[in-house]
Amino acid sequence: MNKLKFICLGLLFTTITWAANPYKYIIDLSRVSDDKVYVELAPPKIKQDEILFYLPKIIPGTYAIADYGRMVSDFEAFDKKGNPLQVKRLDDNTWKISDAKKITKISYWVDDTYDNPKEGPEIFQPAGTNIAEGENFLLNTSGFFGYFEGMKKEAFEINIIRPMNFYGATGLKAEATNTSLSRKLIKKDFNTPDANSTIDRFEVSDYDRLVDSPLMYSKPDTAIVKVANTEVLVASYSPNKKVTAKEIAASIKEVLAAQSTFLGGKLPVEKYAFIFYFTDQPVMSYGALEHSFSSLYFMPEQTIQQMNQQLRDFAAHEFFHIVTPLTIHSEEIGSFDFNDPKMSRHLWMYEGMTEYFAGSVQVKYGLVSPEEYLDMLSEKILTSAQFKDDLPFTELSLGALDTYADQYYNVYMKGALIGMALDIKLRKLSDGAYGVQEMMADLSKKYGMEKSFKDDQLFNEIVAMTYPEIGEFLNTYVAGSTPINYEEVLAEVGVKVVKDGTKKQYSLIISQESIAATEYNGKRMLAIGNQDKLDAIGKALGLQNGDIILKMNGDELPELGPEINNFLGGQFQKIPSLETMSVTVIRAVDGEPKEITLTTPNKQIDVPVAFTLAFDENATPAQLKLRKAWLEPKN
């Protein structure tokens, strides 16, 4: 994805490359009109009479059609005298320009994806764009900058006119900040920025690197964490200031330090950026998108206490993408076709192995307990059971855009479980000495950022550096339709599957069986629907049918929607440290609504579970030895 080789060949070569034939873009964030921003391009030299100009149909990591070109309007091309050239729009993402040799300028306006009602596919928010004048500009570069057919490998210069009091958070290193446009770029459309505006300039090697580099402009809220050899930037946009970059940095610092140790103490990037966009609007989905030198997060705005563990989980997953696909990727990823994409077979590695590492690193370095880790795995097994277990994962990957789009989420469930099973298999074959951690390190050494593997040869490469039995595993459980027998796999490390049992845990009080939805003050809220189904803590609190839940342990409950999951995650972390549980409800008393706070001593209770994992108290020495190699770091 990132062609860094020629950048490293030396300053002289780099200078010559930049001077040869770069794209030169200007985007004006100080010039917002009707929620759109203006973009101008001084193109590289074009040799043909007619050429196609594209914005991406899809970008790496999303595995879904976006059609970014839908957001472009008033697209025009001009010669050096300012005369318009003939332009024909062929589809959402493609423009055909005549007399292409004469092009000296292209200009257009871009709308954002966050609040635009245009028809077409919904764009995953972390891959989307936002234009909020005076507040925030989220620049996923795929939504603003295009390329000419056959000319993706040229260099790009991006000049961003911004308000003086805004900061651009990105994994890119700026060539210049608080600068001015060169004379060659000053057109009649651009006056010298006034005292309230300035310009940042970035240079990248090619279009792949550009699309791999989101930026967020807003009033600065940043923190820096040093992780091994890497400077990690944390940037936050929180409209109501509920969370700060400093709080996020403190939350994820331990995870990043553990990941650095897990990866051998040296990381393949010098700078990395965590870019967080928090929204105070109701949302139906949220998440994160990885990039080689950064990751971008779209999340409901909450306090750090409410989303602490979820932030750690998100950060652990996205940061591990510096291993794959940054240093390990197939040709389909290394040279991505943005408008006619070819899918790789290996989502089990790109997403599944990354998700497995995100949990594994936390248990290895004491960020979650072994018992908590088993709960994480059991949840993945249960969730994975909702998908097609006999669908070969290689086929799921190849059909992720269309045929098997409804199965895609399983890459984070069964994909991670494939990583677990492969790890245990490797460690058994090597007497604990070698697992997927070492396997991925060996693949990184063989390939690296600049070299892609052939998609249909990866299994052979893995077998060559491991064991013949691993080829049988991959062909049976990844390329084949045979479901993994998790009970058999986990027995190797002294973990047993418990069905229809109980486990001790702190109570979240509400459950699917006891809860209902109701309207209160114009909002959909949670209420008690069946008090007989409450657990021991819920009954001790004295909750009753019809009680509308306003607060739990002093924290205000959000209205019904995806934010509920974040809220309950925050409660899950908070409750074990509490001596007293409290719930504030609205209850009808003598026909009138009354706010009541209920309390009870906090304690663990027995909770029935249909399926869970537990450590076998009667595990053999061989099982315990393999378990230690699986769950603990090497000495």
Side-chain angles (χ1 to χ4, degrees):
M1 189 180 298
N2 301 287
K3 308 300 182 288
L4 300 182
K5 184 175 182 180
F6 75 75
I7 295 178
C8 300
L9 292 179
L11 179 60
L12 177 62
F13 185 77
T14 303
T15 303
I16 293 171
T17 301
W18 287 115
N21 203 30
Y23 292 74
K24 293 190 175 183
Y25 268 107
I26 308 167
I27 181 169
D28 192 351
L29 305 185
S30 69
R31 185 181 181 182
V32 178
S33 176
D34 194 25
D35 204 32
K36 301 175 183 177
V37 296
Y38 181 78
V39 178
E40 188 172 296
L41 166 64
K45 187 176 181 179
I46 297 169
K47 298 179 180 179
Q48 56 263 56
D49 292 324
E50 188 174 83
I51 198 164
L52 299 179
F53 182 86
Y54 296 106
L55 260 75
K57 179 178 182 178
I58 184 175
I59 61 170
T62 57
Y63 307 102
I65 302 299
D67 288 337
Y68 288 101
R70 287 177 293 144
M71 305 301 160
V72 170
S73 59
D74 301 313
F75 186 99
E76 296 180 289
F78 303 91
D79 64 18
K80 64 181 180 181
K81 293 182 179 180
N83 298 315
L85 301 174
Q86 184 178 347
V87 175
K88 182 179 181 180
R89 189 167 195 162
L90 302 184
D91 57 34
D92 280 340
N93 306 300
T94 313
W95 292 260
K96 182 170 70 175
I97 307 173
S98 302
D99 294 323
K101 290 180 182 178
K102 297 181 181 180
I103 303 173
T104 59
K105 184 181 82 169
I106 288 174
S107 66
Y108 50 88
W109 289 83
V110 182
D111 209 333
D112 66 347
T113 68
Y114 277 11
D115 56 9
N116 191 294
K118 290 187 178 181
E119 292 184 2
E122 182 179 350
I123 296 177
F124 181 45
Q125 292 95 335
T129 59
N130 186 52
I131 298 169
E133 186 175 11
E135 289 292 330
N136 175 276
F137 296 91
L138 192 60
L139 306 182
N140 267 298
T141 46
S142 50
F144 293 93
F145 309 113
Y147 65 96
F148 292 106
E149 182 182 27
M151 300 180 68
K152 280 200 319 171
K153 301 302 181 184
E154 279 71 16
F156 284 73
E157 177 186 302
I158 308 297
N159 295 271
I160 300 175
I161 301 176
R162 62 167 171 88
M164 186 73 76
N165 62 340
F166 272 33
Y167 171 77
T170 178
L172 291 171
K173 294 182 178 180
E175 295 297 318
T177 57
N178 298 316
T179 187
S180 58
L181 290 174
S182 68
R183 292 193 176 188
K184 289 183 179 180
L185 285 175
I186 296 177
K187 309 293 183 183
K188 63 181 180 181
D189 301 10
F190 285 100
N191 298 316
T192 303
D194 61 29
N196 295 319
S197 298
T198 188
I199 297 168
D200 296 337
R201 187 173 74 250
F202 300 91
E203 296 175 355
V204 297
S205 55
D206 57 25
Y207 193 72
D208 291 274
R209 179 74 171 94
L210 178 61
V211 171
D212 202 26
S213 306
L215 306 96
M216 182 174 74
Y217 276 87
S218 56
K219 293 176 182 177
D221 178 14
T222 62
I224 299 291
V225 179
K226 188 71 174 177
V227 182
N229 57 297
T230 303
E231 181 182 273
V232 177
L233 167 70
V234 178
S236 171
Y237 170 71
S238 177
N240 300 299
K241 308 296 186 287
K242 285 188 176 182
V243 63
T244 66
K246 183 179 288 188
E247 290 174 324
I248 297 169
S251 174
I252 66 176
K253 186 174 182 179
E254 282 185 318
V255 172
L256 300 182
Q259 286 178 296
S260 171
T261 305
F262 187 91
L263 294 173
K266 184 174 175 61
L267 303 176
V269 296
E270 293 181 0
K271 179 185 178 183
Y272 189 92
F274 287 94
I275 303 171
F276 289 88
Y277 177 97
F278 295 99
T279 178
D280 58 1
Q281 299 301 306
V283 297
M284 294 308 296
S285 64
Y286 57 93
L289 182 61
E290 80 278 1
H291 297 272
S292 298
F293 299 85
S294 60
S295 46
L296 199 154
Y297 303 76
F298 176 91
M299 300 177 68
E301 187 182 32
Q302 294 184 300
T303 66
I304 193 68
Q305 291 80 13
Q306 291 172 311
M307 58 182 172
N308 196 37
Q309 185 57 43
Q310 186 170 56
L311 279 177
R312 286 174 170 236
D313 292 341
F314 273 12
H317 177 98
E318 304 304 337
F319 193 62
F320 264 128
H321 275 297
I322 62 176
V323 176
T324 180
L326 173 59
T327 55
I328 310 170
H329 52 257
S330 69
E331 293 170 336
E332 288 77 5
I333 302 297
S335 184
F336 192 80
D337 190 327
F338 294 92
N339 290 82
D340 186 20
K342 307 295 187 295
M343 300 304 294
S344 168
R345 296 170 173 82
H346 300 299
L347 277 176
W348 71 273
M349 184 176 73
Y350 301 137
E351 295 294 345
M353 193 66 73
T354 301
E355 179 69 7
Y356 174 65
F357 280 163
S360 178
V361 70
Q362 293 189 66
V363 71
K364 280 180 181 289
Y365 294 97
L367 303 180
V368 298
S369 69
E371 290 75 17
E372 288 172 326
Y373 184 55
L374 290 190
D375 287 344
M376 293 164 64
L377 292 176
S378 63
E379 183 178 342
K380 289 188 182 299
I381 292 172
L382 283 169
T383 305
S384 178
Q386 300 172 28
F387 296 89
K388 295 179 180 178
D389 202 21
D390 59 351
L391 173 64
F393 232 69
T394 49
E395 290 186 22
L396 187 162
S397 298
L398 291 171
L401 285 181
D402 38 55
T403 309
Y404 298 119
D406 63 337
Q407 299 294 306
Y408 175 73
Y409 187 67
N410 206 18
V411 301
Y412 302 103
M413 302 296 124
K414 187 175 180 179
L417 296 169
I418 288 171
M420 175 200 75
L422 181 57
D423 196 13
I424 293 171
K425 180 81 171 176
L426 279 168
R427 294 198 180 278
K428 184 175 183 182
L429 290 169
S430 65
D431 196 29
Y434 190 97
V436 290
Q437 183 178 350
E438 291 76 19
M439 181 192 83
M440 296 298 282
D442 287 344
L443 284 170
S444 295
K445 291 173 187 175
K446 178 161 187 174
Y447 291 101
M449 289 184 280
E450 301 149 29
K451 183 180 178 182
S452 302
F453 62 79
K454 291 191 177 298
D455 207 65
D456 61 356
Q457 292 298 310
L458 179 61
F459 288 175
N460 293 336
E461 297 288 350
I462 292 174
V463 170
M465 62 178 57
T466 58
Y467 304 92
E469 293 91 337
I470 297 304
E472 182 180 349
F473 174 93
L474 294 171
N475 285 308
T476 301
Y477 300 112
V478 183
S481 59
T482 305
I484 298 173
N485 186 328
Y486 299 114
E487 192 167 355
E488 184 178 286
V489 169
L490 289 163
E492 299 283 4
V493 290
V495 173
K496 59 185 180 180
V497 173
V498 179
K499 298 178 181 178
D500 299 320
T502 62
K503 65 177 181 179
K504 290 272 189 187
Q505 68 177 42
Y506 288 100
S507 169
L508 279 173
I509 305 168
I510 59 177
S511 66
Q512 293 285 351
E513 293 80 15
S514 64
I515 210 70
T518 190
E519 292 284 334
Y520 178 70
N521 282 348
K523 297 180 180 179
R524 284 179 59 77
M525 301 293 292
L526 292 180
I528 302 303
N530 188 342
Q531 66 188 61
D532 293 336
K533 294 293 185 180
L534 288 166
D535 63 24
I537 295 294
K539 290 177 179 177
L541 284 164
L543 289 165
Q544 299 177 10
N545 289 338
D547 284 348
I548 300 169
I549 303 174
L550 298 183
K551 297 179 182 178
M552 290 180 65
N553 302 308
D555 298 324
E556 187 174 337
L557 203 76
E559 62 182 302
L560 192 58
E563 295 92 338
I564 290 289
N565 291 330
N566 262 355
F567 176 85
L568 294 178
Q571 290 295 309
F572 185 79
Q573 294 179 68
K574 180 178 183 177
I575 289 171
S577 64
L578 299 177
E579 292 184 3
T580 302
M581 288 282 286
S582 70
V583 177
T584 301
V585 301
I586 292 291
R587 177 180 293 176
V589 178
D590 297 328
E592 295 293 328
K594 184 177 180 181
E595 186 173 312
I596 300 172
T597 297
L598 309 169
T599 63
T600 191
N602 186 30
K603 63 180 180 180
Q604 286 190 323
I605 59 175
D606 288 318
V607 176
V609 288
F611 171 96
T612 191
L613 302 175
F615 291 110
D616 188 348
E617 300 89 347
N618 300 314
T620 66
Q623 289 172 317
L624 292 174
K625 180 181 178 182
L626 194 58
R627 182 196 297 174
K628 179 180 174 68
W630 176 50
L631 294 180
E632 298 180 19
K634 286 184 176 180
N635 295 328

